[in-house]
Amino acid sequence: MPKLGVNIDHVATVREARKTFEPDPVEAALQAEKAGCDGIVCHLRKDRRHINDDDLGSIKEAVTTRLNLEMSVDPQIVDIACGTKPDQATIVPENRREVTTEGGLDVAGNFDRVKEVISSLAACGIEVSLFIDPEEEQVKATSEAGAKVLEFHTGRFCEAFNRGEDYSKELEDIVRMTKFAIQEGLTACAGHGLNYQNAGPIARIEGMHELNIGHSIISRAVFVGLYEAVREMKDLIK
Ligand code: PXP
């Protein structure tokens, strides 16, 4: 059964809508852990649109499961990561005007810089994951760059599923690439756009290590509370 990482960025998004002190992402991390999640995920963006540097420090202090920091290869963010020492860092592409992470990292196309960042983070004792599209070239590049973990961007699958279209090709890509990644000695995770309707087929993929889910859990929490929303997703994955 895959583990569940809960992304709490959007708790800070609501706070930033008013530039005030509530809701507190640290409290969200603690609630999610109490409800049985296996790890906390947050993204320190260059534009600090939700999680900020103080949040990151406080979340790191508070988390008792594992902290997975999503980050770009920006040198300042790499320095902050090395100072904070999350258990894991997931390198993602970051574009200034995007609403959310739009696609996987082009590891093959940015090989030298990605490899350099993996080495810097690893030297600080941080396990590194790369967020990639489910494509063979990217899986190979991930392995060659020295990362031991990858996360497949499930966006294409989720969009097809949500539109009620045939999603078999998108699902098959993730199934095939998970198998390939495991053969290459990598740990395979998945995330982006997963929700209470579409997470099942991804959770059932053999060898899938972890699902990282944010938006749909925080959305559900508006109606049932975060504790219940996390429990429901844990049960669904089970
Ligand atoms: N995994 C990664 C690498 C991401 O960048 C995100 C979005 O921040 C997620 C998982 C969570 O995606 P969602 O909020 O759509 O569940």
Side-chain angles (χ1 to χ4, degrees):
M1 179 181 92
K3 294 177 187 293
L4 172 64
V6 176
N7 181 312
I8 56 169
D9 291 346
H10 289 326
V11 175
T13 303
V14 174
R15 179 192 64 195
E16 292 308 306
R18 279 292 178 91
K19 301 266 178 244
T20 180
F21 57 88
E22 62 183 1
D24 179 7
V26 176
E27 181 62 27
L30 295 177
Q31 284 279 326
E33 287 189 324
K34 210 160 134 194
C37 77
D38 303 287
I40 298 297
V41 186
C42 67
H43 186 171
L44 185 70
R45 295 186 66 103
K46 200 168 158 58
D47 62 13
R48 307 296 198 276
R49 68 173 69 155
H50 35 55
I51 296 294
N52 62 38
D53 304 50
D54 287 347
D55 293 329
L56 178 62
S58 307
I59 292 166
K60 161 71 182 154
E61 285 277 297
V63 162
T64 57
T65 53
R66 291 183 86 239
L67 176 61
N68 177 1
L69 173 65
E70 292 174 5
M71 54 177 280
S72 69
V73 294
D74 179 85
Q76 281 179 337
I77 301 284
V78 175
D79 282 350
I80 292 169
C82 282
T84 310
K85 295 196 188 344
D87 300 279
Q88 184 178 323
T90 300
I91 304 179
V92 302
E94 202 173 288
N95 302 315
R96 222 154 238 290
R97 295 176 61 196
E98 68 190 359
V99 174
T100 181
T101 318
E102 281 163 356
L105 187 69
D106 181 8
V107 186
N110 298 280
F111 190 78
D112 292 343
R113 176 63 185 148
V114 172
K115 190 173 174 189
E116 186 185 15
V117 172
I118 293 172
S119 304
S120 306
L121 294 169
C124 299
I126 303 167
E127 180 171 62
V128 184
S129 172
L130 304 186
F131 187 46
I132 60 170
D133 289 321
E135 294 165 3
E136 189 166 325
E137 184 195 18
Q138 299 298 343
V139 175
K140 281 189 180 151
T142 296
S143 178
E144 282 161 20
K148 301 283 183 288
V149 185
L150 56 74
E151 179 176 337
F152 289 121
H153 193 303
T154 47
R156 289 200 290 248
F157 157 78
C158 293
E159 279 167 25
F161 186 106
N162 297 348
R163 282 195 297 259
E165 294 170 3
D166 177 11
Y167 55 78
S168 49
K169 153 109 183 41
E170 288 77 9
L171 180 59
E172 182 50 30
D173 285 346
I174 302 170
V175 171
R176 217 163 24 86
M177 285 303 110
T178 299
K179 201 168 167 192
F180 179 58
I182 294 169
Q183 276 167 8
E184 293 281 300
L186 301 168
T187 298
C189 307
H192 207 282
L194 295 173
N195 60 32
Y196 295 85
Q197 287 74 44
N198 64 27
I202 302 294
R204 277 193 289 271
I205 295 175
E206 204 179 324
M208 181 59 72
H209 178 72
E210 185 172 59
L211 305 185
N212 291 312
I213 307 180
H215 186 263
S216 77
I217 290 179
I218 304 303
S219 301
R220 177 100 183 113
V222 171
F223 301 108
V224 301
L226 186 56
Y227 182 90
E228 185 57 27
V230 172
R231 284 225 67 82
E232 286 178 11
M233 188 56 84
K234 266 303 270 190
D235 286 348
L236 192 148
I237 291 173
K238 242 185 249 168

